[in-house]
Amino acid sequence: MASSGFRLQLQGYGLTTANILYRLPDYPKIIQSYIWQEYDLHPEFPELRKFLDFWMRSLDGPLHSVTVAHSNLIKPAELKLLDKEFKVH
């Protein structure tokens, strides 16, 4: 069975990493960092948007900035269908 991450990659999802900077609620002059990583679709980033909506709705630390990096790990030219199966012990 293929993993869910591999299946998502075949559907066009790529690995998305967001560096989220936010202010501490009790100490607003201090900025903290949170790293979020998930498979997501470029350029809309629906999964990241859902997470950021949750953050703004439910968490006390106000967002300062979000930096996003995205990479499609599997590209169409890298995938070939074969008609053979090889078993390794």
Side-chain angles (χ1 to χ4, degrees), residues 5 9 12-16 37 39 70-76 78:
Q9 290 176 55
Y13 283 72
L15 188 61
T16 302
Q37 192 171 53
Y39 290 105
H70 176 82
S71 178
N72 286 330
L73 300 176
I74 296 178
K75 297 168 181 61
E78 296 177 359

Side-chain angles (χ1 to χ4, degrees), residues 16-48:
T16 302
T17 303
N19 183 16
I20 301 168
L21 298 180
Y22 64 97
R23 297 186 185 277
L24 294 179
D26 296 337
Y27 304 96
K29 292 184 179 181
I30 297 177
I31 293 180
Q32 188 81 351
S33 176
Y34 180 82
I35 302 295
W36 177 91
Q37 192 171 53
E38 189 65 56
Y39 290 105
D40 210 349
L41 288 170
H42 177 270
E44 293 86 16
F45 300 113
E47 298 300 321
L48 177 57

